[in-house]
Amino acid sequence: MATKPTKIGKQAAQSTTAVNSLVGFRRSEIVKSLGMMAGYAAKQPKPLAKHIKNYAGELLDIVKGSSELAPHPRDRRFQDTTWATNGLYKRGLQSWLAMKRELDGWIEDSRMHPADQTRARFVTGLITDALAPTNTLLGNPTAMKRLFETGGASLFKGLQNAYDDLRNNGGMPSQVDGRPFKVGENLANSKGAVVFKTEMLEIIQYQPKTEQVYKTPLMVIPPQINKFYATDLTPDKSMVRFLTSQGYQVFAISWRNPTRQHAHWGLEEYVTALIEASDAVLKISRSPRLNVTGACSGGITMALFLSELAARGDNRVNASTVMVSVLDGKKSDSEIGLFVTDAAIEGARRHSRKKGILTGGELGRSFAWMRPNDLIWNYVVNNYLLGESPPPFDVLYWNNDGTNLPAQLHSDYLDIFQDRRFRPDKTVEFMGNNIDLNAVTQDCFMVAGITDHITPWKACYRNIRLFGGEVEFILSNSGHLQSLLNPPGNPKALYYTNAEHPPRADRWLEGAKPVNESWWLRWNEWLSVRSGEMKAAPKSLGNKAYPPLSQAPGEYVFT
């Protein structure tokens, strides 16, 4: 049985591009890890010999037909009944499973340092996943059946798909059929207008949906990675629509997709742009204060914006929301982080400086190799071996609508990962003032995703200790972007809450209560009491000083 295209789309949508692919991992780090593993094998030959012997014994059982090795029941790659009924395929699968089992067993028994064990598991996982029998035409019974059923047409279509990817997708298998989607028509189609524009950003003011609106506006700060419209994806998933239906005045920033000429744009330039943008929002809404929300790398930019305002004694921000954003990352937060060395960081920095930008394509490819099963091999089988088109999926369309990062911004993010400058024991100057989130005393709402391996929730939980104000932390189900796109009415919506904030994230979760509804509803309760009184909704967008310049979603979303 083939994995349905919609299934692989949902799996892939858990792994959207984000900050932790900014460094990537270099071939030299993989080679270094293999050398490290060889060193352990040479120093302690007994564990390796034991597992080679086990492997040989299992192979003998496989040949005799007495092996009981079987794939995990939930491994979608091996759902075809041929794997259990055809002796040849069954033995091939069992041989591969035996190799994986003994490699894992050797790593477990080799007394490696825990960090080395994690590196070794990642590297062997890359290799064994690549060698999975499903990844070849002859080794995949579903693909062979399709070949005969279609008289060879599936192979022909697969070759066409591969040729198209070589020409148009940098040699990577396409993850989404983007033909059904069009930005401004069935994506990012909430009504509004661009009311402020600079070389770096546009501000979109959305049309209120209620007769009365809260006096304090909300400014949405998106990541610089990918386009802004994740918060206004399809109408049924649009956070913008939900907020305007609840009476909020919503302003969203749309960053310009930078090119080589913008190589000098760094976080100082982005924060300066946010200050200018918030000036415009305050004047248009006639409010002395505003609320802000930032997600992923937008959350990092927002944190620096808040720190800078606090240093200036500027209290224009009333409350903030931080979504799936890691401000104090550790290498140990993910297995990929263990490959991030100073040399790798400097290599990544030199690469983008030389080109002026880190392209969206490079970011996407780097990230795909961190989750090869979900983002590469699933599509190799679907697109090339089965000759299917990738599924149309709005989240993946957005994820593939990538943006570049200016070299300076890329370098600034690498600095944050390297020196952990948001920690209270650090003294790092930014725009002439020391970074100090403890001086940010506004209330803050924080959201993380329980299966988010991009911005792991336990790393997001560390943000609580950085800010000086009252914090409410909730943990949404699903991963990264999917954890945010959780509108009311979603039967699978679930989040955890706990008013206590013990030092350890595990302890927080142990004491947390599950709530079977969308976290948007809780956020609405929290935000509504921090958005001032109600007033009549504006009859038009912008004002005399900031007239509408173009209709939403603006022009920069197409750059």
Side-chain angles (χ1 to χ4, degrees), residues 180-194 202 204-207 227-241 252-254 394-395 397-398 401 485 550-558:
F181 302 109
K182 196 160 186 179
V183 174
E185 293 186 8
N186 57 358
L187 298 176
N189 66 358
S190 293
K191 290 184 178 179
V194 173
E202 292 176 331
I204 299 168
Q205 182 184 10
Y206 286 98
Q207 187 74 47
K227 304 288 177 63
F228 85 97
Y229 62 87
T231 51
D232 189 31
L233 206 57
T234 51
D236 61 322
K237 298 175 183 171
S238 172
M239 194 178 286
V240 167
R241 285 186 182 234
I253 285 173
S254 174
D394 48 16
V395 172
Y397 179 86
W398 167 82
D401 191 8
L485 300 182
S550 61
Q551 295 300 307
E555 296 176 347
Y556 283 170
V557 74
F558 300 109

Side-chain angles (χ1 to χ4, degrees), residues 25-34 123 338-339 341 343-344:
F25 51 84
R26 301 189 305 171
R27 187 181 304 173
S28 60
E29 295 299 326
I30 301 295
V31 173
K32 187 177 173 183
S33 296
L34 290 171
V123 171
L338 295 173
F339 290 90
T341 62

Side-chain angles (χ1 to χ4, degrees), residues 139-161:
N140 189 321
T142 309
M144 291 301 293
K145 287 178 189 174
R146 184 69 56 83
L147 180 67
F148 286 107
E149 288 167 358
T150 61
S154 62
L155 180 60
F156 180 71
K157 182 66 166 56
L159 290 172
Q160 281 185 320
N161 289 342

Side-chain angles (χ1 to χ4, degrees), residues 4-254:
K4 292 182 179 179
T6 50
K7 298 271 187 185
I8 63 173
K10 288 180 180 176
Q11 285 175 247
Q14 297 288 332
S15 306
T16 47
T17 313
V19 182
N20 63 349
S21 55
L22 293 180
V23 180
F25 51 84
R26 301 189 305 171
R27 187 181 304 173
S28 60
E29 295 299 326
I30 301 295
V31 173
K32 187 177 173 183
S33 296
L34 290 171
M36 174 271 295
M37 293 164 63
Y40 276 104
K43 290 177 187 173
Q44 300 177 41
K46 286 186 178 179
L48 181 61
K50 169 190 161 187
H51 287 280
I52 289 175
K53 182 181 176 183
N54 291 348
Y55 182 52
E58 190 66 43
L59 286 180
L60 189 59
D61 289 341
I62 290 170
V63 171
K64 291 190 293 186
S66 58
S67 172
E68 296 183 353
L69 274 179
H72 192 284
R74 298 182 67 180
D75 192 332
R76 297 182 184 280
R77 292 173 294 180
F78 305 107
Q79 298 298 303
D80 194 307
T81 55
T82 305
W83 292 110
T85 59
N86 182 292
L88 186 62
Y89 278 110
K90 183 178 180 181
R91 287 177 172 82
L93 169 58
Q94 288 179 323
S95 300
W96 178 74
L97 291 172
M99 177 184 68
K100 277 177 63 75
R101 185 186 67 181
E102 297 309 325
L103 276 172
D104 289 343
W106 168 62
I107 292 169
E108 189 69 30
D109 292 344
S110 61
R111 297 181 185 175
M112 293 181 188
H113 184 278
D116 288 341
Q117 279 196 350
T118 303
R119 291 189 190 94
R121 287 197 187 95
F122 181 79
V123 171
T124 56
L126 281 179
I127 295 170
T128 55
D129 283 340
L131 295 175
T134 45
N135 294 339
T136 64
L137 180 62
L138 289 175
N140 189 321
T142 309
M144 291 301 293
K145 287 178 189 174
R146 184 69 56 83
L147 180 67
F148 286 107
E149 288 167 358
T150 61
S154 62
L155 180 60
F156 180 71
K157 182 66 166 56
L159 290 172
Q160 281 185 320
N161 289 342
Y163 178 69
D164 187 60
D165 285 337
L166 281 171
R167 291 190 62 187
N168 304 312
N169 201 40
M172 297 291 283
S174 299
Q175 298 173 356
V176 63
D177 179 359
R179 289 173 296 182
F181 302 109
K182 196 160 186 179
V183 174
E185 293 186 8
N186 57 358
L187 298 176
N189 66 358
S190 293
K191 290 184 178 179
V194 173
V195 292
F196 179 75
K197 185 173 185 177
T198 68
E199 189 182 6
M200 180 178 280
L201 61 77
E202 292 176 331
I203 294 180
I204 299 168
Q205 182 184 10
Y206 286 98
Q207 187 74 47
K209 287 183 174 296
T210 53
E211 292 185 359
Q212 296 279 310
V213 295
Y214 291 104
K215 286 185 175 179
T216 305
L218 175 67
M219 186 170 79
V220 179
I221 303 170
Q224 293 90 343
I225 300 168
N226 290 91
K227 304 288 177 63
F228 85 97
Y229 62 87
T231 51
D232 189 31
L233 206 57
T234 51
D236 61 322
K237 298 175 183 171
S238 172
M239 194 178 286
V240 167
R241 285 186 182 234
F242 172 75
L243 290 166
T244 51
S245 72
Q246 300 302 309
Y248 296 100
Q249 299 184 75
V250 180
F251 294 78
I253 285 173
S254 174

